[in-house]
Amino acid sequence: MSTETGKRAATAAASSVRSNDEMERSEKNGRRAGAHRVLVCFTGSVASVKAYEVVDGFLDGTNRSLDDTIVGVPLPFDVRVIVTDVAKRFVDVEELRRRIKTRYAAFRAAAGSAAYAERFPDGHPPDEPFVYTDDTEWREWRKVGDPVTHIELRKWADALVVAPLSANTLAKMANGLCDTLLTCVWRAWDFADASKSVFVAPAMNTAMWNSPFTAKHLAELAAFPNVHVIDPVEKTLACGDVGVGAMASPETIARAVVENRFSKTGARGFS
């Protein structure tokens, strides 16, 4: 990412966040007006090859795998994405960015500017990158008062979705480490606000899944009342082994978030 692109990314993240007064004026039924805002994160698990499908799950409200009585319109969510450095091995950042921008442009063309503004009252600045990476974080920070990307994204998001959650990132999150953009957002997350949900979908080899470290680290995450664990499934894994550890389907992940965000109460676990 170029220096200029990094600067635009930090600025765009800041421009997506409104003041408390603005948010209070736009609140309806106990939440901000417009689409629910989801920050989707991809980590260094081979399951990140499903990045396009995971993101599509939040941009395609007509997906028949979801309950159309809850969400029956395109783009029920406003989406931003974090791709960690290791996840770049499995995700083409520029292609993902292009696909997301194309979906928003198609919705604006079909629904019209008024409907678009109602769905996304914060607006999408022309330089909004939609996809953020670790090198976005501090590249253009120069002085006190400049936007800090992980803080701006933390303020922006209603929900944080980590799918897949690798064993390495799980260990970092369980211990409060913050050496990536994603883990900095996690460390700064407002756990006191029950409406700020976090969803994690672990994905790793069966031997790693069965490690006592994994159970210990997941217990640390699940101790927070607004953290939801989406269990992995059994199948043939990338290494050829057969066992539990594959990421839940993109449809299951989307359903977990939909049911939490569009119902009065959300379940603690999903499978």
Side-chain angles (χ1 to χ4, degrees):
M1 179 182 290
S2 69
T3 299
E4 182 60 28
T5 301
K7 182 176 182 179
R8 291 199 304 268
T11 303
S15 68
S16 293
V17 180
R18 293 174 292 170
S19 68
N20 289 333
D21 287 343
E22 288 178 299
M23 288 189 282
E24 287 173 4
R25 285 195 297 270
S26 66
E27 283 180 348
K28 294 181 180 179
N29 300 322
R31 63 170 300 275
R32 286 182 296 271
H36 292 260
R37 301 184 303 199
V38 178
L39 181 59
V40 183
C41 306
F42 300 105
T43 67
S45 164
V46 70
S48 285
V49 298
K50 296 185 178 181
Y52 304 142
E53 298 171 62
V54 172
V55 170
D56 277 350
F58 296 104
L59 295 180
D60 186 6
T62 60
N63 188 327
R64 297 304 301 181
S65 68
L66 301 181
D67 184 350
D68 285 346
T69 64
I70 299 176
V71 180
V73 293
L75 279 68
F77 294 98
D78 199 1
V79 174
R80 301 293 183 276
V81 174
I82 292 176
V83 179
T84 67
D85 280 347
V86 180
K88 288 179 182 178
R89 300 175 184 177
F90 312 110
V91 182
D92 184 329
V93 171
E94 290 305 321
E95 174 61 16
L96 180 58
R97 181 176 288 126
R98 185 195 67 78
R99 290 185 180 213
I100 293 172
K101 288 183 176 181
T102 298
R103 296 296 294 273
Y104 280 109
F107 178 80
R108 184 193 292 270
S113 297
Y116 191 92
E118 182 178 3
R119 184 70 57 83
F120 309 112
D122 291 339
H124 294 144
D127 57 356
E128 168 59 57
F130 292 102
V131 181
Y132 295 80
T133 59
D134 290 335
D135 59 0
T136 309
E137 178 70 296
W138 290 103
R139 177 172 293 201
E140 291 304 320
W141 191 91
R142 292 292 181 270
K143 64 183 184 304
V144 173
D146 285 353
V148 176
T149 303
H150 71 269
I151 296 299
E152 300 305 327
L153 290 174
R154 174 262 195 195
K155 293 175 181 177
W156 176 86
D158 295 318
L160 176 67
V161 178
V162 187
L165 171 63
S166 68
N168 186 52
T169 299
L170 168 61
K172 290 181 179 182
M173 292 172 68
N175 288 283
L177 300 183
C178 41
D179 62 344
T180 67
L181 177 54
L182 163 56
T183 53
C184 284
V185 171
W186 163 257
R187 183 62 184 254
W189 197 254
D190 186 2
F191 294 102
D193 184 347
S195 70
K196 301 272 282 187
S197 303
V198 178
F199 300 84
V200 296
M204 61 195 73
N205 178 269
T206 303
M208 300 176 78
W209 174 250
N210 290 333
S211 167
F213 283 111
T214 300
K216 178 180 179 180
H217 293 157
L218 281 174
E220 291 288 341
L221 268 59
F224 296 99
N226 46 349
V227 173
H228 309 272
V229 178
I230 305 173
D231 293 331
V233 298
E234 181 177 355
K235 63 182 297 186
T236 301
L237 305 175
C239 62
D241 290 351
V242 177
V244 176
M247 185 180 74
S249 70
E251 293 81 10
T252 297
I253 294 166
R255 176 178 290 277
V257 180
V258 165
E259 291 179 351
N260 174 270
R261 304 308 303 178
F262 289 87
S263 62
K264 293 182 179 178
T265 58
R268 286 297 312 279
F270 302 88
S271 61

